Amino acid sequence: MKKKLAFVLGGGGSRGAMQAGALRALLEAGYRPDLVTGTSIGAANGAFLAVNGFSSEGIQKLEQVWCATVDQDLLPTNLWWQMMQSFFKRSNNLPQQRIRDFAIANGLHPDLHFADLQGPRLFLVAADLNTGCPVVFGKDPKESVLECVLASMTLPPWMSPEVKDGRYLMDGGAVSNLPVEAALEQGATEIIALDLFDPAELDTSAHGLSDFFVKLDMTVESRQARLEMQLAEARGVPVKRISLIGETPVPLWDFRHSVELMEHGYKLARQAIATWPAQEKPSWWRRLDLKGMLENLF
């Protein structure tokens, strides 16, 4: 059976900057995916990567996108105000429009479809609250990449769930925050998962209403990821899981630390890769090495 390497990009809001750094480390180490699955911010990273290519230039463009988030108020910090607006159905969808405009300005044009993407196949995960099941976009080449990214990132209270084709869609983290299962469905034989789950975000001594929702969300996410990892093990598919945890907890709506997080993600991935068994370099990598040797000689 032909090997098929999948990169699995988990959700985690602003902490997604660490995935950009980790992806650079994977590229430098010679890992190249055949397919990419992503949830929430992982879906956005996967889409930008698919548009720009998994190359030094593509990673550089992804890093530039993250640098541009530093001074963007993409997810307003007044969480309770956003929640009350959503509760009373008075939301003006401003955060969603900001994210849409930002995505378009950085290359995810509305007329871009999955059929237009070159390189690794891309699959994005959202949650359908009508069925309680994940929805995997990318199987239909005619689907809009931008609309599917936004569906995967639709996180209340900033963005209201989307009603489309009988489905009630919201952020994929509700059902699969680390979309290993989606990669297995697409035939992955080996997986590298970039996990943004941060247990340090949980304050076990806090018992307020907001703390309850945080704990509930983290409980669901951690159990989902554990079950999907067990599914991969049951199917005999090895998973290299890199836990991208910041030196200090960063709220998912705080994008001011993107540059530092990219550097930290790169460092963490390099450390993880150093512990893996040496892999045989693919033919395209050996050709690059030979080219470099010849250039140094002459």
Side-chain angles (χ1 to χ4, degrees):
M1 183 173 62
K2 183 180 177 181
K3 290 185 177 181
K4 186 180 289 188
L5 173 62
F7 282 3
V8 170
L9 308 180
S14 63
R15 297 191 292 271
M18 288 189 284
Q19 287 180 348
L23 287 166
R24 175 172 290 282
L26 289 168
L27 174 68
E28 292 177 354
Y31 292 91
R32 196 168 191 170
D34 298 295
L35 66 98
V36 177
T37 64
T39 291
S40 195
I41 198 64
N45 279 335
F48 284 122
L49 197 63
V51 169
N52 296 307
F54 189 64
S55 62
S56 295
E57 295 77 12
I59 295 293
Q60 184 176 12
K61 289 180 180 178
L62 177 60
E63 291 171 338
Q64 290 171 350
V65 170
W66 274 102
C67 287
T69 66
V70 172
D71 57 359
Q72 299 284 324
D73 189 20
L74 294 175
L75 295 179
T77 58
N78 52 346
L79 182 60
W80 280 108
W81 176 245
Q82 294 292 328
M83 190 175 294
M84 294 305 292
Q85 282 190 316
S86 177
F87 183 79
F88 290 108
K89 299 182 179 180
R90 293 178 179 174
S91 176
N92 54 15
N93 288 324
L94 183 58
Q96 186 163 8
Q97 189 60 50
R98 285 177 183 169
I99 292 174
R100 175 186 289 273
D101 293 343
F102 183 81
I104 293 173
N106 286 280
L108 298 187
H109 304 295
D111 58 352
L112 178 70
H113 302 91
F114 282 89
D116 302 320
L117 301 177
Q118 304 297 317
R121 295 287 306 277
L122 176 67
F123 300 93
L124 310 178
V125 178
D128 179 8
L129 298 186
N130 282 341
T131 64
C133 296
V135 175
V136 180
F137 299 112
K139 300 176 183 178
D140 182 353
K142 294 179 290 185
E143 288 176 321
S144 164
V145 175
L146 174 63
E147 297 305 324
C148 293
V149 168
L150 292 175
S152 182
M153 296 179 67
T154 300
L155 181 63
W158 293 282
M159 292 166 276
S160 301
E162 176 186 356
V163 179
K164 185 177 182 180
D165 299 328
R167 297 183 295 200
Y168 195 39
L169 300 175
M170 69 163 286
D171 190 288
V175 291
S176 183
N177 199 55
L178 190 66
V180 169
E181 184 179 13
L184 295 172
E185 288 179 352
Q186 302 308 318
T189 61
E190 49 188 327
I191 293 171
I192 296 176
L194 302 183
D195 189 3
L196 297 172
F197 182 81
D198 186 357
E201 190 179 5
L202 183 64
D203 182 357
T204 57
S205 64
H207 304 289
L209 183 60
S210 61
D211 302 300
F212 165 78
F213 284 112
V214 170
K215 291 179 180 180
L216 175 62
D217 177 64
M218 294 184 70
T219 298
V220 172
E221 286 184 12
S222 62
R223 178 162 175 77
Q224 288 166 349
R226 191 160 57 248
L227 290 173
E228 294 193 38
M229 291 288 289
Q230 290 173 355
L231 178 62
E233 183 179 4
R235 295 187 182 181
V237 176
V239 180
K240 296 182 175 73
R241 183 178 184 179
I242 302 179
S243 293
L244 299 174
I245 299 175
E247 294 179 311
T248 57
V250 177
L252 62 85
W253 57 82
D254 186 357
F255 288 84
R256 295 174 299 173
H257 310 284
S258 294
V259 175
E260 305 97 286
L261 289 175
M262 278 191 288
E263 295 172 355
H264 188 62
Y266 176 80
K267 177 182 176 181
L268 290 175
R270 291 262 298 183
Q271 291 173 346
I273 292 169
T275 67
W276 298 348
Q279 65 160 354
E280 180 182 354
K281 300 294 185 184
S283 59
W284 64 268
W285 185 264
R286 292 196 292 271
R287 288 196 297 271
L288 288 178
D289 283 350
L290 178 60
K291 180 181 178 183
M293 291 172 59
L294 293 174
E295 287 175 349
N296 289 333
L297 287 173
F298 302 102

